[in-house]
Amino acid sequence: MKNHHIGDIILDEEAIAAGVRRVAERLNQDFADAVVITVVPGGILYTADLTRQLTFDVSMDYISCPHTPGERNNNSTIVYHHNIEIAGRHVIIIDDAIESGGTMKRLVEHITENYQPASVSIAVLFVKPGRVEIPVKQYYAYEMENDDLLIGYGMPWDNKYRNRPNVAKLIK
């Protein structure tokens, strides 16, 4: 893997593991059963790490809404296959991070308005300070100091770098 876009490491593997544990502990306190809906492809790595630490019953599904990292106005089509009935159930939408928050806000609204869940929450590794308000409970381990573009651990640049085991600053 070429490293010309990889800058300073923001979250190393140990920090990611600690963050996953922190979010799992909070979720385990609040839920006895839930449907986790992974935002694909970015949330796949975090979902795998997080769900293995959940001690409550989970059903799993997935949703997508492609966007360009750093883009604030995502109008892409939301694709949700609705493989599991979520009406009346607690839903946790899992993604790698909330950057601008626009896509996650659209996903929360889509699920809430079309499928009548008992509740919707969000679980991500980190959030950025410039994000929009999303009016649901949010579980996250870290709040970044700035809105720098980041890559790794699910986050791409030019459809690469998702598989990095850490989160690094992007060098354009």
Side-chain angles (χ1 to χ4, degrees), residues 33-132:
D33 178 80
V35 176
V36 297
I37 299 177
T38 303
V39 180
V40 296
I44 292 172
L45 298 176
Y46 184 62
T47 298
D49 290 345
L50 182 64
T51 56
R52 288 182 292 197
Q53 294 188 33
L54 298 179
T55 57
F56 55 91
D57 291 332
V58 297
S59 301
M60 298 177 77
D61 211 340
Y62 59 96
I63 194 167
S64 68
C65 186
H67 71 285
T68 302
E71 181 181 287
R72 289 199 157 300
N73 297 312
N74 177 2
N75 293 313
S76 298
T77 301
I78 295 172
V79 179
Y80 176 51
H81 292 280
H82 195 214
N83 294 313
I84 297 168
E85 184 54 56
I86 63 173
R89 297 191 64 194
H90 299 291
V91 170
I92 305 167
I93 300 175
I94 301 178
D95 202 358
D96 46 17
I98 296 176
E99 296 182 87
S100 71
T103 298
M104 182 60 77
K105 183 174 184 177
R106 286 187 62 221
L107 296 176
V108 166
E109 290 170 350
H110 181 79
I111 293 295
T112 303
E113 293 169 6
N114 294 297
Y115 300 98
Q116 296 75 45
S119 69
V120 176
S121 300
I122 299 167
V124 296
L125 181 61
F126 67 84
V127 297
K128 289 189 176 178
R131 67 193 181 279
V132 299

